[in-house]
Amino acid sequence: MEAKEIEKSTSMADWRRIDIDAFDPESGRLKPEDLVPPYDTPAVGVQEIQGRVGQLRSMASSGDIAGAVQLITSDPPYNSDEATKKTYLLAVLEALGQVKTMDIANIVGQLNDSQVDVLVKYLYKGMSVPEGQKQGGILLAWLEKITQTNGVKPIVHFISDRRTV
């Protein structure tokens, strides 16, 4: 009787070693291409981004912050090298820092969901670099207005999206 109990316990432990996904071809196994970041935009170099940085700075200095935020969130350089992203981030921080706190809610209200998601990425990226930490209060004001109008959905998108700015 003791041998049967040992046999049962051994067979019960073996069920954990069975690879059930091997029996189902549609099991959703990860493929190597699933692990590659989903970059659907072409790579942008420093030379190409300089024109956008100049346009962004001129819009911000002329007081067209709503237009500057539209430009910031319209086509971010996801598939670029870190130097290009850093150059663009500094220009974004400069533009976002020039807005008055009371205008933020109006500007955020004009953005669609994907633009808000991109803006949240820039806010978090800005808070992680020393240049943005100097403007921490204004970046937090932007984030506060976003969460007041859109809830936490843009933050969840930021956490789950693999594309970085």
Side-chain angles (χ1 to χ4, degrees), residues 65-77:
I65 301 297
V69 172
Q70 291 285 338
L71 179 66
I72 289 168
T73 58
S74 63
D75 188 26

Side-chain angles (χ1 to χ4, degrees), residues 70-107:
Q70 291 285 338
L71 179 66
I72 289 168
T73 58
S74 63
D75 188 26
Y78 286 131
N79 194 17
S80 300
D81 60 346
E82 289 304 314
T84 303
K85 288 182 180 183
K86 178 83 172 195
T87 302
Y88 196 63
L89 175 67
L90 295 177
V92 167
L93 292 175
E94 184 181 321
L96 293 177
Q98 292 182 7
V99 71
K100 293 183 173 101
T101 308
M102 56 197 148
D103 296 336
I104 294 175
N106 296 334
I107 295 170

Side-chain angles (χ1 to χ4, degrees), residues 15-121:
W15 70 270
R16 294 184 182 177
R17 295 185 194 142
I18 297 173
D19 184 14
I20 20 181
D21 291 334
F23 298 109
D24 184 15
E26 300 295 321
S27 66
R29 286 184 176 261
L30 284 176
K31 300 172 195 75
E33 59 268 12
D34 292 337
L35 300 175
V36 176
Y39 296 126
D40 54 353
T41 57
V44 179
V46 176
Q47 299 83 9
E48 297 167 0
I49 208 76
Q50 289 299 335
R52 289 186 64 189
V53 167
Q55 185 181 6
L56 182 61
R57 286 186 176 144
S58 69
M59 291 174 102
S61 64
S62 68
D64 185 16
I65 301 297
V69 172
Q70 291 285 338
L71 179 66
I72 289 168
T73 58
S74 63
D75 188 26
Y78 286 131
N79 194 17
S80 300
D81 60 346
E82 289 304 314
T84 303
K85 288 182 180 183
K86 178 83 172 195
T87 302
Y88 196 63
L89 175 67
L90 295 177
V92 167
L93 292 175
E94 184 181 321
L96 293 177
Q98 292 182 7
V99 71
K100 293 183 173 101
T101 308
M102 56 197 148
D103 296 336
I104 294 175
N106 296 334
I107 295 170
V108 169
Q110 297 172 4
L111 301 175
N112 62 32
D113 288 343
S114 64
Q115 289 175 319
V116 171
D117 293 345
V118 172
L119 184 58
V120 167
K121 289 178 187 181

